[in-house]
Amino acid sequence: MNTLTPMQAACWFGRDTHSGFLGGVAAHLYTEFNAQALDLHKLEAALQGLYREHPMLRLALHKDGQAVIREASNIPSPLLEIDDLRTLCEQEQKASLLQKRDQWTHQRLALGDGQVARFSVSLCSEDRIRLHIDTDMIAIDPSSFRLLMEDLALFYHTDDAPYASAPSFFEWHYALQNHADYRKLYTRDRQWWQAHLEDIAPAPSLPFTKEMLNGAQSHCLHDQLSLDDVAALEKLARHNHITLSSLVIGTFAFSLSQFTQDKDFRLNIPTFWRAPVLPEADRSIGDFADFVLLSVHTEKHRHLADFIQAVGLQMIPLLEHSHYSGVNILRDLSRHHGETQLAPVVFTAALDLSGGQLFSDSVKQAFGSMDWCISQGPQVALDAQAVRTDSGILLNWDIRLDALELHWVNQVFRLFANTLRTICRTPALLSSDFNNLLDAVNQQDSLPPCSSTSPNDKEAPLSALQQAYLLGRTPMLPLGGVAMQEFREYSGDFPIQTLRDRLRSLVERHTSLRTYINADTLSQTVSEKIVVNLIETDLTQMSIDAANAYMDRYRQTYTHALFDLGLPPWNITVFQLHDNQLAVFARFDALIVDGRAIATLMNELFTLDEVEPTPALLDQDEPTSDANCESAKEYWHEKLANIKEAPQIPWLAPLDTIHEVRFKRLSTTLDAKTFRQFCKLSAKRGLFKNTAVMSVILDLLAQWSRDHFVHAALPVLPLYSGALANHSTFIAVTWQYDSNDVIEQAKQLQHDIHEGLQNLSFSGVDIARQLVEQCDAKPILPVVITNGLSWPVAPADQTMQLKNGLTQTPQVAMDIRFSKHEKGELILSIDYVTNAVDTAAVTSLLEAINSTMHEVVETGEFHVDRLLVADKSSVSDSLLLTTDQGNQAIEDRILKVYSEEIGITDKNQLSKDTNFISVGLRPQHLKSILKYLNSEFSMELSGKDIIKCRNATEIKALIQGPR
């Protein structure tokens, strides 16, 4: 009977999607070789020979874990898969290869069907072929993979090569289990490890993502140390009486500790020892892998040399007692602590390879260079390897992006690689103080200086609004625990170096980007130091789908994260994609800049023209007398006296009970022609365009409210602002629904806004306090309407285009925003708290605003009667906006575009339930339909989304989303 080793059994169990932390993946190694030429017939024959000679390639592992070696006569044919990409252009080839890499990286070979390896070639041109190989480590561990490639090259080069058979893996394992000396060593080492369980350090404190994905997403980082670097490291190791492996492992442990801040932690150190219990066992293919647990202690060491020597000395007894499996050690450790114990960080130092390099010349002549390799393993978050190659040392890190942020791992990786290079060039730093070493490494890597301010920096107190924003960060307040901040997402083609230079120039010019906030002293300081808060993430080796999946998850965390106030609270994160495109996430806290300033900054960053430096003007506060303040206070007390309670919009729950919030944005677009006509009609009635848009919004909100009355906060900017900063405050306005008097109310609103701007000495914070006392309710201004029509608009030819955004504000449940697109469209967005407002209601509100403005233009009459509001007695009234009238408007617009594209002239031929295919819908129609739907409803639908919809009802459901 073929008995699995503890390591094989653990890998088999880890394949199960219910196997716990980072489970549901195969332990496998995927590699790519790039060759100039391959004889595919010879390669297929070589594979057949390989399978005949190595029984583990014929392993079948049944569901019950029983391992069976199939007969050589049952080898599948062909074994080699062929993908011909020669008809594709270079960009299409690259996309296809990345998609294949992503698929093979995450596949689980069908072990039950005897598939322990998979081989494929991608034909790119006559002199460019990529060989893809995936091997499951239950049958072929990394040390065996080297043998597999050597034998494959042997069979490829020589048809009838003499080959002396080696014992099978299970023969070796059986002999090992029954070897008397080994059994004694096994018992000895088990006792040794069990006696030292208390001494094993905890797992590293990795910053695992809060929302881990259900499916694995693996990625690879790699770097190459040159031959000169390797020679310098070997000389340094000899001088300090340590091995090269200890030097590299110790440097890795030191680098990791700088980011986890752990003083004690454990590492998983693999071993591939083959006990010589059978002749020729060193030529067998199988899973000889195991591991020991290295406990790292950093606190008592002052320099790297001392630390590395301690690591090297500790490795000696670990390897001496490695006859007891690491899997068993973790099980014993779990029993000892009463909970599951893991070793999620693996480090392999393959620096003493037989032959001195990873692959022989024979392998490289046959299959070219191995230019990509990545592995997966259950319960492993970071698998780091240092492998000797003919070019030096390959540093290769395999990481689980569903558990760790790529930027964080990138920082550790850079520190590790740069520390090795630094001690190569300056050996004395190995014995120097840790701080001196880190300073030298950071200087080499051009890392930004630590956040700090100097005595020459200017300090000023925070405004009342800034202090309110700080208070809103605390989750004690209802609708709190969030920062007042804006997120913007751009994509397009833009030189990364230009972006770096522009961003540094922005920081130099604009003091707001050098402003530090001190929450303890409630002060702000403009620093003279230039710190560029830029994060660069390279996703060029990912397929489009994998890159989008990573950015989707990153976005979920990024948009809601609170800034560490140790730095100026802003950030630009750049993702480099495989098609020379950039995706840029930008986030700014309103502690330092307002919405108009953010729009200006992003336009300056991405403009095609050189930005002319503009002097940063000092803010000139308008002199305010006590009489003016008192007058403004009296004005607002009288103006808002009719507000008796918080807005009576049918919230999903009482707002004062909501303490955990998450914002979401929904948007719609009013086409440029309709918006121009709407503005003209408004102007004829004496209304500014911003007033007209606000009037539509307020009237619909009032209709939705139980008492037909609503009040809202309006952010405003004083006219005397200077440098780009946060100069905004807000006023409050009210609206009473009256279907017969919209124009007069709109004019009154315009008058109220004008008056409000004359009374800003009583600030928005003062207004909020007044209303809280007046109504005894919090939050009292949960609805905000933000006018962005005066904000800078990006030119139409700008290569980086705004794709998405989100604004969140403490104690705000719904922020309704409108701004102008570069092509003249009106963009209407609602940022709302998902557990305060129903998504379907928000969708319908946006549609009602859009439809109302269309109707104003179509009828020439300024009226708002899109909603026929009935009973509002329950929370289910959050769906009141989904009226028959609103639904009909959506369906009419959907039917219009489909009928125009299909060519239907008889309107009676197409209804909401008519199957589009039955009336002539064809694939060639979908592109135009998709473009219209995405533009009209501000969606990002794909062709796959709409092709599944049979009629207008299903398209409408797709647009409105799940309810």
Side-chain angles (χ1 to χ4, degrees), residues 28 45 50 273 365 373 470 513 529 537 539 635 651 671 834:
H28 70 123
L50 195 68
W273 181 66
Q365 289 169 6
C373 66
L470 279 179
L513 301 183
K529 293 182 179 179
T537 302
L539 304 183
Y635 169 82
W651 309 109
D671 65 273
T834 55

Side-chain angles (χ1 to χ4, degrees), residues 426-604:
T426 314
L429 287 171
L430 189 69
S431 301
S432 183
D433 181 86
F434 280 139
N435 291 330
N436 293 336
L437 174 61
L438 289 171
D439 288 343
V441 173
N442 289 343
Q443 186 176 4
Q444 172 185 314
D445 198 34
S446 300
L447 294 177
C450 297
S451 59
S452 62
T453 56
S454 69
N456 295 327
D457 296 334
K458 298 178 181 179
E459 187 177 44
L462 296 180
S463 68
L465 188 59
Q466 287 174 308
Q467 293 183 38
Y469 289 157
L470 279 179
L471 182 62
R473 285 169 156 247
T474 64
M476 296 180 292
L477 296 175
L479 296 180
V482 298
M484 170 56 200
Q485 60 186 8
E486 180 173 346
F487 160 74
R488 288 182 167 221
E489 180 177 346
Y490 295 80
S491 65
D493 184 1
F494 198 80
I496 184 67
Q497 187 56 50
T498 302
L499 185 143
R500 296 183 189 119
D501 295 341
R502 287 273 180 81
L503 192 55
R504 182 174 184 83
S505 176
L506 286 178
V507 177
E508 290 173 347
R509 290 202 314 276
H510 298 295
T511 57
S512 56
L513 301 183
R514 290 182 274 116
T515 298
Y516 290 78
I517 304 296
N518 191 320
D520 296 325
T521 62
L522 298 180
S523 62
Q524 55 190 326
T525 303
V526 177
S527 174
E528 296 178 357
K529 293 182 179 179
I530 305 301
V531 179
V532 181
N533 298 341
L534 172 66
I535 295 175
E536 296 182 33
T537 302
D538 187 352
L539 304 183
T540 56
Q541 299 301 321
M542 287 188 186
S543 67
I544 294 175
D545 291 343
N548 285 336
Y550 177 77
M551 290 191 294
D552 287 345
R553 184 175 61 80
Y554 192 93
R555 187 187 298 109
Q556 290 295 314
T557 302
Y558 183 85
T559 53
H560 287 74
L562 296 178
F563 280 110
D564 178 358
L565 297 181
L567 288 171
W570 64 273
N571 170 266
I572 302 291
T573 294
V574 180
F575 300 97
Q576 299 178 60
L577 307 178
H578 85 273
D579 52 359
N580 296 321
Q581 297 289 298
L582 296 183
V584 175
F585 289 2
R587 188 160 54 96
F588 296 86
D589 197 300
L591 287 165
I592 57 171
V593 281
D594 55 37
R596 186 174 67 182
I598 293 169
T600 303
L601 288 168
M602 297 311 294
N603 275 2
E604 288 187 17

Side-chain angles (χ1 to χ4, degrees), residues 128-170:
R128 192 163 66 92
I129 299 175
R130 178 166 293 177
L131 173 62
H132 310 259
I133 304 175
D134 189 23
T135 53
D136 196 292
M137 294 188 199
I138 288 178
I140 308 159
D141 69 11
S143 67
S144 297
F145 179 72
R146 293 182 66 220
L147 296 173
L148 179 146
M149 293 306 300
E150 296 295 338
D151 287 351
L152 183 61
L154 174 66
F155 293 135
Y156 180 80
H157 287 303
T158 310
D159 293 338
D160 54 352
Y163 191 86
S165 296
S168 75
F169 172 77
F170 287 118

